[in-house]
Amino acid sequence: MHFTIRYLSEYRYGGPVTDNLNALRVRPAATLCQQCDEFQTRIAPEARMTRHLDYFGTEVQEFAVVAPHDELTIDVRARAITRAPSPPPDGTWGGLQSRAYLDAAGEYVLPWKDQPATPGLDQLQERIRAESPLQTLRLLCQEIPQRFEYRRGATYVSSDVGHLLETGAGVCQDFAHLAIVLLRRHGIAARYVSGYLWAASTDGGAKSMEVDTHAWLEALLPSAEPGGEPGWVSADPTNSGLADESYVKIGHGRFYSDVPPVKGIYRGTARSELSATVTMARLDLADSALAAA
Amino acid sequence: MDELFEPDGTPRAVARPLVDALERLGHDGLMDAGRRRDAIFVAQAITFETTGEGGATHERPFPLDLVPRILAASEWDSIKHGLAQRIRALNHFVDDVYHGREIVRQGLVPWRLVASCPHFERAVHDIHPPGGVYTHVAGCDLVRDRDGTWRVLEDNVRVPSGVSYVLENRAAMARLVPELFARYAVRPIEHYPQILLRALRAMAPSAASDATVVVWTPGPANPAYFEHAFLARQMGVELVEASDLVVRDDMLYLRTTRGLERAHTVYRRLDDAFIDPLAFRPDSLLGVPGLIRAYRAGNVAIANAPGTGVADDKAIYRFVPEMIRFYLSEEPILQNVETYLLSDPEVLEHVLEHLDTLVIKPTGESGGRGVMIGPDAEESEIVRMRGVLTAEPDRWIAQDLVELSTVPTLGSDGALHPRHVDLRPFAVFGERVDIIPGGLTRVALEEGSLIVNSSRGGGSKDTWVLADGVEPEAPVPTLADTAAPELPDLRFGQWNDQQQQQQQQGPSD
């Protein structure tokens, strides 16, 4: 699929603020099934932008507005092309012990140390286990939205898994965190993914829609072939299944705070209002009709 | 072993003049000097905040024992070379971990162990510090085992503290008991602040020779505040807190009465987690937002570099001898204490069977907190530890128990008693590694105790390195000599073009 993405954030402060430093992680990544062919960011008031790749390979744009201002606009526009991921490998549980698997898994299989012992996790872990890592991943993505309510405002940006279990409700960030914790407990490497999701049906319908930044996960699944390479498989525990070409990835990390879309700090009044919108449009609907003809 | 007395109770040759002098001073003389010492330390606020197991804290004069520790020149020589070697290897390791990871590729250190270090800082990945130095100030803890062999017990390359006590102890000793020095040529240590300032200036990313250096303290509530103020005063630089600093245009500025003034090097005396809320702890608003940006841009030098904690992790410690062989192609001069990583089930089993003879340490703590010394532990404590280790083996290491040498120490009864000691020498890595002779000798004041940490009731001793037969030292720099080297002038002539022609031919057959 071919998308244009516009991610517009407008902050209005209750009074003049200064030294407004921000780090953006908003650029669609280049991966095996995704490319980003256009990308630009505009800041108002004007600010010099520096870029670097972080530890996880995500592009970070940093800027600072020093002079007093009472509004800040971050206007990001991107074009991205995605294609369907290859079929997920369905290796056995035994595959998790292979040298190749553990090397590729790296730190993404380590227990989540920031996570306090949370009652309820043990039972969830026990119940959500199937005959293979892939089946477990699928089951997890079905079970989580059934057991928990998707409700904005139920949790906060810094909420942990315990908060989700307590309130029984949360948002995609919480669902992804819970799935990652459970996968790692099963010995399956899992990482948090931030990005954009085209949330319409894939076969037409709307050409343009307002969405939000989205969070899902990637799990490392062992190869079904003996001696084969394991592969990262995208899955979305908010939308009950594996991810397809409607997902545009920005980057990944161990958890949310490794890859937040916008992270900033400023000096001045604490009062601020944010209006953030993500608008996605498909450029390929007419093209695909042509291709089909 | 006792360092001053033979097993039969007679003084060793090197200690004889000291023992004679102590006897001449006598009980009354020593007690009197002790009273004057406490009065001086309290008046100068040379105190230490101690934290008991319950978390209660209180201030007390830093306990300096009046009997010095004596190290022979040859002995110090080997310690000095061993430490310099070790610190170079640790510095290489920090650089490698945040860049090429060669030591991991070679299979010498498991990546997972690195990635699970609490002080492995992903935010400084791929940053090159000015001069390639990360571990500017190091304070490794050394001990001597039963046969007198020196071993490294722990590396400290984050914000090691204690050097102010080394300097104050010497000054106090010279004032209180000058007669003890009479028959010894003790090597001086007073130039430490100049060595430090020279290193901090050498690392400054500044084209001019007047780089601005600041000492950053968390504030008067910090237990080591005295030292922060002491070092700033001795070096003649500003002592600042976060609110005195601001980053603009990726440069660090110091607020002064004349407006903002650029700072080139910051000697920070607080943990990574509190230096930049944008890069570290998202839940903290402490620190200087943007500092890591300025650091990444090469506009400010930070001592020690953020992220060095990965090298003094208690689990990584076990691999330091391998680092020395790998990065330097040398054999380690100073030995480690035998250390067991519990992630290996067989090792864990062995350790669980020998808990009553080993020392167990939590990897994420410092200052002696959470340490269990097997032979001293109650049975119930061992049982509890067995459960803890089985549940979370990765968070603990086990080490062989080192007996620790003793040095005679003045008791409250005015008599000398053997007490266990360790040694923390202070090394400064600027353009080279400089180590001031001796260091902080910490002494466990209770009979038989092996816990020397000052926060747990330990004391200290002036440490004498004798001057006879030493190899010639580099001259001691004076303040005037500590300016950074200037950039080459423009006498190298005009600009020249520099390109490489692409000239590969087709495959030869």
Side-chain angles (χ1 to χ4, degrees):
Chain A
M1 292 184 187
H2 199 168
F3 299 107
T4 62
I5 300 162
R6 185 177 187 204
Y7 178 10
L8 180 66
S9 308
E10 293 169 298
Y11 294 86
R12 283 192 181 73
Y13 305 101
V17 305
T18 63
D19 292 302
N20 195 338
L21 287 85
N22 289 271
L24 311 178
R25 286 173 173 83
V26 292
R27 183 188 179 120
T31 69
L32 282 177
C33 35
Q34 179 181 307
Q35 69 195 75
C36 170
D37 59 359
E38 254 184 66
F39 182 74
Q40 53 172 325
T41 305
R42 296 209 51 177
I43 308 297
E46 202 67 44
R48 188 170 64 94
M49 191 81 89
T50 58
R51 297 162 194 265
H52 70 273
L53 295 184
D54 71 13
Y55 171 83
F56 299 98
T58 310
E59 181 173 299
V60 187
Q61 302 181 83
E62 294 179 322
F63 67 89
V65 179
V66 173
H69 56 288
D70 43 27
E71 277 185 28
L72 172 69
T73 303
I74 305 167
D75 188 358
V76 178
R77 291 164 192 264
R79 275 171 37 144
I81 300 168
T82 61
R83 39 188 196 83
S86 36
D90 194 3
T92 62
W93 283 108
L96 300 180
Q97 305 307 326
S98 78
R99 181 69 203 259
Y101 184 86
L102 290 171
D103 279 351
E107 65 197 284
Y108 298 106
V109 75
L110 293 173
W112 191 337
K113 285 197 180 159
D114 311 341
Q115 203 56 60
T118 307
L121 272 180
D122 290 344
Q123 291 102 304
L124 271 180
Q125 182 194 348
E126 235 167 76
R127 286 199 200 132
I128 309 180
R129 183 177 170 103
E131 63 267 33
S132 73
L134 173 62
Q135 298 314 323
T136 301
L137 177 63
R138 287 188 193 277
L139 183 61
L140 197 57
C141 290
Q142 285 160 8
E143 287 283 321
I144 288 179
Q146 277 181 18
R147 285 167 189 263
F148 298 94
E149 183 194 347
Y150 190 94
R151 196 169 82 227
R152 282 165 200 268
T155 51
Y156 311 98
V157 68
S158 56
S159 285
D160 59 19
V161 169
H163 197 167
L164 171 66
L165 294 185
E166 240 168 68
T167 58
V171 295
C172 53
Q173 178 181 325
D174 308 302
F175 287 14
H177 278 162
L178 175 60
I180 289 166
V181 168
L182 291 172
L183 286 165
R184 289 188 191 172
R185 280 168 157 243
H186 284 303
I188 303 171
R191 59 196 192 190
Y192 183 97
V193 180
S194 159
Y196 310 99
L197 167 62
W198 174 254
S201 58
T202 49
D203 56 349
K207 278 194 172 176
S208 166
M209 61 190 313
E210 283 219 354
V211 294
D212 233 326
T213 59
H214 189 52
W216 60 97
L217 65 88
E218 289 172 350
L220 187 70
L221 298 182
S223 168
E225 321 292 327
E229 289 293 313
W232 289 101
V233 174
S234 297
D236 185 354
T238 305
N239 293 299
S240 309
L242 300 189
D244 57 19
E245 68 265 47
S246 26
Y247 288 76
V248 181
K249 171 178 174 176
I250 293 169
H252 61 253
R254 292 163 299 166
F255 30 71
Y256 165 80
S257 54
D258 283 337
V259 57
V262 181
K263 184 177 175 186
I265 188 169
Y266 62 86
R267 213 186 279 273
T269 171
R271 279 175 299 135
S272 75
E273 273 175 44
L274 163 65
S275 127
T277 55
V278 179
T279 312
M280 289 179 83
R282 279 185 64 181
L283 297 174
D284 55 349
L285 284 177
D287 301 350
S288 50
L290 278 178
Chain B
M1 62 158 277
D2 191 88
E3 296 183 8
L4 295 191
F5 288 97
E6 303 281 1
D8 66 4
T10 57
R12 294 177 190 273
V14 72
R16 233 167 262 143
L18 174 67
V19 172
D20 291 347
L22 285 169
E23 271 166 14
R24 276 197 297 279
L25 260 173
H27 175 272
D28 293 348
L30 286 169
M31 294 312 257
D32 176 54
R35 278 187 294 274
R36 283 186 287 139
R37 167 201 61 200
D38 289 348
I40 293 171
F41 278 19
V42 168
Q44 295 187 359
I46 306 172
T47 56
F48 205 91
E49 196 171 87
T50 57
T51 310
E53 293 281 358
T57 62
H58 65 278
E59 293 274 333
R60 57 190 187 118
F62 192 71
L64 163 66
D65 180 65
L66 293 172
V67 182
R69 181 186 198 177
I70 300 177
L71 300 178
S74 59
E75 198 150 48
W76 173 250
D77 228 39
S78 138
I79 292 173
K80 189 176 76 172
H81 288 127
L83 277 177
Q85 174 194 56
R86 192 169 176 103
I87 290 159
R88 281 182 194 285
L90 291 172
N91 192 71
H92 273 288
F93 178 70
V94 177
D95 185 75
D96 195 16
V97 156
Y98 294 109
H99 299 92
R101 303 183 192 170
E102 288 302 327
I103 201 165
V104 177
R105 280 174 225 281
Q106 293 293 319
L108 297 174
V109 177
W111 179 248
R112 221 179 272 191
L113 194 65
V114 175
S116 44
C117 287
H119 297 286
F120 172 56
E121 299 294 1
R122 290 159 181 84
V124 294
H125 172 75
D126 209 23
I127 298 181
H128 292 272
V133 178
Y134 300 81
T135 55
H136 304 92
V137 180
C140 300
D141 292 337
L142 306 180
V143 293
R144 301 179 80 168
D145 64 16
R146 190 189 295 267
D147 63 5
T149 309
W150 288 90
R151 291 180 186 274
V152 179
L153 187 62
E154 207 169 292
D155 299 296
N156 287 294
V157 291
R158 276 173 278 162
V159 281
S161 66
V163 73
S164 59
Y165 299 124
V166 177
L167 303 183
E168 291 288 7
N169 282 352
R170 174 65 53 85
M173 288 288 285
R175 195 168 148 191
L176 295 167
V177 282
E179 49 275 71
L180 298 188
F181 290 82
R183 306 226 351 241
Y184 292 94
V186 178
R187 293 181 52 199
I189 54 173
E190 295 77 13
H191 55 296
Y192 177 83
Q194 280 69 55
I195 290 177
L196 179 60
L197 182 60
R198 182 174 58 180
L200 296 174
R201 284 209 173 131
M203 66 196 269
S206 161
S209 54
D210 59 344
T212 300
V213 173
V214 296
V215 176
W216 178 6
T217 174
N222 187 275
Y225 181 75
F226 165 78
E227 177 158 309
H228 309 158
F230 174 90
L231 289 173
R233 191 172 62 239
Q234 294 278 317
M235 292 192 289
V237 305
E238 296 276 347
L239 179 68
V240 303
E241 296 184 31
S243 56
D244 299 315
L245 299 170
V246 63
V247 169
R248 288 192 174 156
D249 289 331
D250 294 348
M251 307 223 190
L252 180 66
Y253 290 94
L254 172 64
R255 293 159 191 267
T256 73
T257 48
R258 301 173 300 282
L260 295 183
E261 188 181 302
R262 188 162 163 210
H264 301 89
T265 301
V266 51
Y267 179 38
R268 48 88 181 221
R269 295 295 304 252
L270 65 181
D271 285 340
D272 289 350
F274 306 109
I275 64 174
D276 181 350
L278 267 178
F280 303 106
R281 296 266 295 262
D283 56 332
S284 155
L285 288 180
L286 301 172
V288 179
L291 182 63
I292 295 301
R293 280 186 200 183
Y295 176 56
R296 179 179 292 108
N299 292 335
V300 64
I302 304 174
N304 287 356
T308 49
V310 71
D312 65 15
D313 185 273
K314 288 191 171 68
I316 292 293
Y317 160 89
R318 170 148 123 50
F319 297 93
V320 178
E322 284 305 314
M323 291 177 200
I324 293 170
R325 294 185 190 103
F326 179 68
Y327 295 118
L328 308 177
S329 304
E330 294 172 12
E331 275 303 306
I333 299 169
L334 288 170
Q335 305 303 311
N336 265 16
V337 175
E338 189 64 54
T339 300
Y340 309 92
L341 297 186
L342 309 183
S343 46
D344 181 335
E346 281 179 27
V347 175
L348 177 62
E349 198 178 324
H350 169 86
V351 166
L352 289 177
E353 279 166 22
H354 297 88
L355 278 180
D356 54 341
T357 61
L358 294 167
V359 178
I360 311 294
K361 294 178 173 178
T363 54
E365 293 276 1
S366 62
R369 274 182 293 275
V371 172
M372 184 191 89
I373 297 173
D376 297 350
E378 306 272 337
E379 181 59 28
S380 61
E381 204 182 338
I382 288 181
V383 169
R384 191 190 61 84
M385 186 55 81
R386 192 168 282 136
V388 169
L389 295 189
T390 312
E392 291 187 301
D394 290 350
R395 304 187 88 148
W396 301 83
I397 57 161
Q399 286 184 329
D400 283 351
L401 180 70
V402 181
E403 284 288 336
L404 299 195
S405 54
T406 59
V407 177
T409 298
L410 195 60
S412 48
D413 57 357
L416 296 185
H417 305 280
R419 290 291 180 265
H420 292 294
V421 292
D422 79 350
L423 177 66
R424 176 180 288 183
F426 288 88
V428 176
F429 193 167
E431 285 165 324
R432 58 174 200 218
V433 179
D434 282 303
I435 305 174
I436 53 162
L440 183 63
T441 289
R442 298 186 297 180
V443 52
L445 295 178
E446 279 170 47
E447 185 177 359
S449 169
L450 296 173
I451 302 272
V452 297
N453 305 75
S454 13
S455 53
R456 301 271 307 272
S460 74
K461 283 175 170 292
D462 189 17
T463 309
W464 294 0
V465 173
L466 301 185
D468 47 76
V470 294
E471 62 185 37
E473 262 308 273
V476 174
T478 64
L479 260 178
D481 291 337
T482 52
E486 297 201 22
L487 286 184
D489 64 21
L490 302 179
R491 70 197 140 87
F492 290 103
Q494 56 193 350
W495 298 111
N496 284 295
D497 183 45
Q498 173 166 272
Q499 290 191 57
Q500 293 180 14
Q501 185 184 16
Q502 293 188 305
Q503 50 190 0
Q504 183 180 327
Q505 295 180 322
S508 56
D509 39 14

